[in-house]
């Protein structure tokens, strides 16, 4: 009988930790699909996707349509600059 009470807390902790990690893995950003489309033809897709996601989240999930241009659709996205004063968002 004492063995059941000793194992129960470990089982409970395991279940809580495993369910929370599954929740975090399944959490997708609303920007993922938009940035996948935006960066589909980029030469450096990893870099494009990284900066697109940063810009998208800061600009209330706004990403211009298409793979290039159309930045007037999202003024926040268009106006964001890097430390060198160049456009930050792809």
């Amino acid at each position: 009988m004492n063995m059941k009470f000793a194992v129960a807390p470990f089982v409970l902790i395991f279940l809580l930790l495993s369910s929370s990690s599954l929740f975090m893995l399944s959490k997708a950003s609303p920007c993922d699909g938009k940035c996948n489309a935006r960066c589909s033809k980029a030469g450096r897709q990893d870099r494009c996707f990284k900066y697109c996601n940063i810009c998208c989240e800061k600009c209330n999930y706004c990403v211009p349509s298409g793979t290039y241009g159309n930045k007037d659709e999202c003024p926040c996205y268009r106006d964001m600059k890097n430390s060198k004063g160049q456009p930050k968002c792809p």
Side-chain angles (χ1 to χ4, degrees):
M1 193 76 131
N2 287 338
M3 185 61 127
K4 288 182 183 177
F5 291 116
V7 174
F10 292 111
V11 171
L12 184 61
I13 290 171
F14 174 76
L15 289 173
L16 287 172
L17 291 175
S18 64
S19 66
S20 65
S21 64
L22 288 174
F23 173 73
M24 292 182 77
L25 290 175
S26 67
K27 185 179 176 185
S29 169
C31 298
D32 288 348
K34 294 176 181 183
C35 289
N36 276 332
R38 182 79 177 167
C39 298
S40 64
K41 294 184 179 179
R44 300 284 307 265
Q45 287 188 346
D46 56 337
R47 184 180 291 176
C48 179
F49 190 73
K50 174 185 173 183
Y51 288 109
C52 180
N53 268 298
I54 290 170
C55 295
C56 175
E57 289 181 9
K58 287 185 178 181
C59 294
N60 298 320
Y61 310 114
C62 186
V63 175
S65 61
T67 56
Y68 185 79
N70 303 321
K71 289 188 177 182
D72 288 334
E73 295 174 5
C74 302
C76 170
Y77 193 97
R78 176 194 64 212
D79 297 337
M80 203 174 296
K81 307 288 184 201
N82 65 15
S83 60
K84 296 178 183 178
Q86 298 171 330
K88 180 174 189 152
C89 307

